[in-house]
Amino acid sequence: VTSGDNNLCFSRINELQGSVGTITRPTLILDAGRTKLNIACMIRRAADAGVRFRPHFKTHQSAAVGEWFRHAGVSCITVSSLEMARYFADTGWDDITVAFPVNLRQMDLINQLAGQIRLGLLVDHPEALTFLAKHLEHQATIWIKVDAGYGRTGVDWQDQRLASGLARQIAASDRMQFGGLLSHSGHSYSADRLDQLQQIHDESITRLRRLGDQIAAKDLGTCPISIGDTPTCSRVDRLGDADEIRPGNFVFYDLMQLAHGICRREEISLALACPIVCKYPSRNEIVICGGAIHLSKESLTATDGRRCFGQLAQWNPEGFTVSETAPPLTSLSQEHGVVSLPAEQQAQLQIGDLVLVIPVHSCLTAQQFGSYTTLQGKQLERFRP
Ligand code: PLP
């Protein structure tokens, strides 16, 4: 597609189709084929483990990408806001968990959605349940959010008294149906090795099961466990110790997942096309139109100690990939991205060419845009709050 010696250049490919050929500003480029493979792979992992798959749609936030999940057999989803739940409910999803602590100031929207779909909500405090019991107009599924070690939100996994009290409050309301215990082990992102990741998973499950057994025996019949983070769901053994999984990032993956050994290079399916605006051969750097407002300030530390805010992808006939030695973005300001690129490689690029940047964190990068452009040049809309 491109001449082999210039495979950093995205804009000179011969087969630019549809709107890919008219890119003028930073634009999300999606490899649809790879995304579908990532979806199929996670569906298989969930099926092999015998767990319900409730993918988190906050990563892609697109009705069109949602259809790829639906065609693959997925029927229930996770989102991170009630507005996002509204967007997907309007495209036919009727079993949605909002995996964010319930915002009681949105009771009207909660009631609207609860009257239309099977709506799941998260609580970790009796005050929230008292309010819901009084104001819910329809049935909702209530999950007790548990902190199994991450330290962000949720009932502490050792606080059996609080969890039991919440379970009893739920059982006492005819508008609330108990979903189970729901946890997000975001600390899995700090694991450097697979055995550490496995340990975090096993520890979280043991804690959740112990708490679940305690409250189920005393207050309820059964206590399903829902977990969800891409490192765990992509790599660990014994995924089936949970009842439900809710990974999101796996749909695109990114440099962070690659750096942690969670995905392979050829599984990353999202990149940002950015115009080159300056070349500085004397300092081995180019500057692209693509900064913190497009990529976020999320960074990794490279082996040479420098911060890395993204890496340039290589273009090949099948799509894009990122090599171990791919040029890194070493600094970002609001709209500028500085790329470390040797002068000889710069000679093959022109100001105005497009390069593809693999983001450090695909969820935050995708969040900045209103649509995706596939490699075939098709536009896919995203939810805009
Ligand atoms: N569940 C909850 C509650 C989350 O907050 C997140 C992500 O932040 C996920 C699931 C999905 O995790 P990941 O982004 O690692 O796929």
Side-chain angles (χ1 to χ4, degrees), residues 56 58 99 152 182 184 189 228-231 246-250 363:
H56 208 316
K58 76 174 182 158
R152 187 174 67 177
L182 183 149
H184 173 66
Y189 280 81
D229 59 275
T230 284
R246 313 177 315 276
N249 176 281
F250 75 95
C363 307

Side-chain angles (χ1 to χ4, degrees), residues 188-199:
S188 66
Y189 280 81
S190 63
D192 291 324
R193 297 189 320 264
L194 200 51
D195 60 321
Q196 291 171 339
L197 185 64
Q198 186 70 51
Q199 199 183 337

Side-chain angles (χ1 to χ4, degrees), residues 59-245:
T59 305
H60 63 79
Q61 293 183 42
S62 161
V65 177
E67 288 312 302
W68 301 345
F69 280 88
R70 209 195 312 258
H71 288 146
V74 173
S75 60
C76 56
I77 64 170
T78 310
V79 297
S80 53
S81 71
L82 288 159
E83 291 83 354
M84 212 184 292
R86 160 95 281 147
Y87 169 79
F88 283 110
D90 288 347
T91 62
W93 293 95
D94 61 4
D95 185 350
I96 305 179
T97 300
V98 183
F100 186 84
V102 63
N103 178 358
L104 299 178
R105 300 189 75 88
Q106 293 189 294
M107 208 57 224
D108 286 349
L109 188 47
I110 291 171
N111 276 325
Q112 259 182 43
L113 285 162
Q116 185 187 346
I117 60 167
R118 186 182 149 96
L119 180 68
L121 300 171
L122 266 54
V123 296
D124 69 359
H125 199 282
E127 275 175 21
L129 282 177
T130 304
F131 190 91
L132 286 174
K134 199 161 158 204
H135 295 280
L136 265 178
E137 291 166 5
H138 306 276
Q139 283 272 330
T141 302
I142 309 294
W143 291 85
I144 298 178
K145 178 78 199 292
V146 178
D147 177 5
Y150 184 27
R152 187 174 67 177
T153 57
V155 176
D156 187 293
W157 62 275
Q158 298 170 97
D159 198 341
Q160 188 210 326
R161 247 183 80 208
L162 176 56
S164 285
L166 295 173
R168 279 195 299 274
Q169 262 184 291
I170 296 168
S173 163
D174 56 2
R175 294 275 153 82
M176 299 190 209
Q177 197 187 345
F178 180 59
L181 302 184
L182 183 149
S183 188
H184 173 66
S185 293
H187 52 312
S188 66
Y189 280 81
S190 63
D192 291 324
R193 297 189 320 264
L194 200 51
D195 60 321
Q196 291 171 339
L197 185 64
Q198 186 70 51
Q199 199 183 337
I200 289 172
H201 172 64
D202 291 343
E203 186 181 75
S204 298
I205 290 286
T206 305
R207 291 173 172 178
L208 290 163
R209 281 274 168 236
R210 211 182 84 183
L211 185 63
D213 289 348
Q214 287 164 342
I215 67 171
K218 281 178 54 187
D219 309 294
L220 303 151
T222 55
C223 190
I225 302 286
S226 173
I227 60 163
D229 59 275
T230 284
T232 297
C233 297
S234 300
R235 295 303 304 272
V236 301
D237 296 330
R238 298 185 291 281
L239 201 51
D241 290 349
D243 299 291
E244 176 181 278
I245 58 166

